[in-house]
Each structure stands twice: as structure tokens, then as C-alpha cells.
Amino acid sequence: MDQQIEKEVQSLINTLGFLENGVYYQEPDCFQNVRDLIRHLRRDDRYFSVRRLCNSHNIVKSDLVPIMKSGSTSDELFDASLRLAVNLCQPTLTIFENKIPDDASEWKIYYEIENYLNRTLVAFTDPEIFVQFARKMNKYFDKDWEERQEKERLLVERILVLLRCVFSIGVEGIATSDPSSSDNSIKSRIIAGFFTSGIEKIFAKLAGDSLENEFSPYILAILALIFKNLDPKAIAYEGEADLQQKSKEEFEKEQSNAIQAIKLEEEKQRKANRRNFLSGSVVVKGMNALNTKRDFVMTSSLLTQNNLPPIAVLSRRKKPYVPPKNRRIDDSYTSENFTQGLQELSPSLMISIKKFCLNLLLEGKYNRLIKANRDL
């Protein structure tokens, strides 16, 4: 980066304002500085120097989110801050035009930007930012079609894009590292803020309204990212003690059956180690040996396997069919892996998520949402 541009960007970042005791104090030229940062990001070089400099200061957490949460922020400044936040929170793979880095220098930049994005997640743990987004969206959707303006529609669309970018951090793209417990706690708090702000009610309303199909792709993408790391079985059983007790009894029954099967297998192995000629042999009626003039003779110990007929016993002794690797079912994505590394949510939040899912499924809103995305 040119030193002159770096100094200019640095001065713009330092003159946005400051946060003190939960109140953000804007500088007189805050709005113009935000617009200048957007302009510099649009002219960024191939090394993403301006983006890395802005994210290194974490201006999304220290400046942009407090500006959007403030009640004294003008509509123009809110829109400009939202545009800048959307630009800085883009997935790293999108910045690289969905291409995997080629050399070591590009990989270094990729990891650096990805780490900056993980630091940005802390800014969205405050539920107030989601409440502010819900107010802006309700203000637009409560109006009649004749009263809606294009700039308000773009504002709602940018809010949805920002939500998608936030929930995609650490979920989409190339896995750079294993998620830590602190990152999982942050993601859980973000999900909690989303489902307690009222945005989920707006999503449910839009999913059931065929006149709002233009927002369906954003809604479906955001919900897919949210539920990607949640266990559907845990959500379905939340608040149902009888089902949980039934699940516990089934688990104990399975454990008992497994122990019994192990004992039977040990007994079978113990009997199999005996000398076969001690158990005698029998002649199988109706079956010829390889020599058709002789009878088919087999040891009687084979007849005692699970009380099966001789034909079934012989079939089980054959080599089992092993499917090729490319045709085997991948069992790595089990219900235990849905919540891998994700901190458990509170019971009240799980119940809220369950009510949201039931609202989508029982009223047919989910089917309308899928159909709207398929028709686009």
C-alpha cells in the first residue's frame, strides 16, 4: 500500500469517533469519513491492504456497530455504516473470488483476514444491534406498497446481507482452525440475540407472504447457516419430558441388548474353540455333496448357531459383500456432529427456536419459502 493512502486511511479511522460508558460520540465529519473509507475499499489493491488495515483496528466492533446502535444516528450515517460493515464482513473466500489461494503469500493474507473476521464476531453479541435491525425492517414492511421507497428496500436488503455474512463466519469457506470454546460461546450469544430481537418473527411473516419473494433467498440462506450447527433432535425434544424419558429408556435398553450380545459372542467364541470332531456330524437330507453319489455331511456344531437351518448357516459363512468406497454411505454427519464444538443453548432459547420451527412447518410457510426460491 502507498504510504500516503495508508496515512489517509489511518486518519479516517481515528477520526470516526469514540465509545465511552456505552455511548458513542461521533466526530463532526464522521459521515464523510465513513464514505471515504467505502471509497478506499472500492479501490483496494490485490493485497487487500485497506481491508486488512480496517479490520486490524476492528472498526466494526469499536465504531460501526455502536454507530448503528445509537438512537441519535441519522438515517444517512446508519446506511453508510451498514454499507461499510457489509463490505468488511464479507466471507474471505468471496473476497478471493471463490478461488483457493495459490502461493504462500496469498495463504498468509487469507488466514489474516479470516482471523480478523473471527474477532469481528464479538461486535454482534449485543442483542441491541439485532433489535435495531428489527426496527428498521419493521418500519419498511409495515408500510403499504405505494409508500415504500427504493432506498428503504436497499437498506433492508443490506441488513439481510450483513446477517448472512455474520452467520457465515467460521461456517463457510476453508476451515482454518478448530473452533475454540470462546468462539462457540460467541456464536451461541449471536444466535440468542437473533431469536430474541424479533427478527425471527419478521422472517416467519416474510416466509408466508408470497408478495415478498424477493427476500426469500436471503431468509433461506440465513436460516440454513443458523441451523447448520444445531442438533435437530435436541430442538425437537426440548420441553418434552416424556420423550426425553422415553429416549433414556431406549438408551438403557440398547445398552442392555449390547451387553447381552457381547456375552453371546463370547460364549460362541468359546464353543468355536472346541475340537469339531467332539461334537459329531450329521447328514443333511435332500442335499448332495460335490460327489453326487455321496451324502452331504456337516458337523453338528454348525446347527446350533441361533437355531438357523443348515442352508442359512452355510450362507452366513460366505464372505460378506463389501461395497466400494465411492458407494458407501458417509456416516460422519451424524446427529452427534451437528453440535460439534458448539456450546449448548439455554432451554428457554431452545424452546423459542422450536416454536419458530413449528410456526414455519405447521403453517406451510417453509413449503412456500422453498417454492419461492425454486421459482426464482
Side-chain angles (χ1 to χ4, degrees), residues 13 51-59 112 116 119:
I13 294 174
R51 179 181 302 275
R52 290 157 59 193
L53 182 59
C54 293
N55 284 333
S56 64
H57 291 273
N58 202 358
I59 64 173
E112 182 180 352
Y116 287 149
R119 289 173 49 197

Side-chain angles (χ1 to χ4, degrees), residues 168-191:
S168 66
I169 296 176
V171 178
E172 292 184 338
I174 305 172
T176 56
S177 61
D178 295 333
S180 61
S181 58
S182 59
D183 294 338
N184 300 326
S185 176
I186 291 172
K187 293 178 182 178
S188 300
R189 291 163 60 187
I190 293 175
I191 294 175

Side-chain angles (χ1 to χ4, degrees), residues 101-114:
D102 297 329
D103 52 10
S105 60
E106 291 184 356
W107 274 112
K108 182 179 179 181
I109 296 174
Y110 184 94
Y111 287 132
E112 182 180 352
I113 297 176
E114 190 71 19

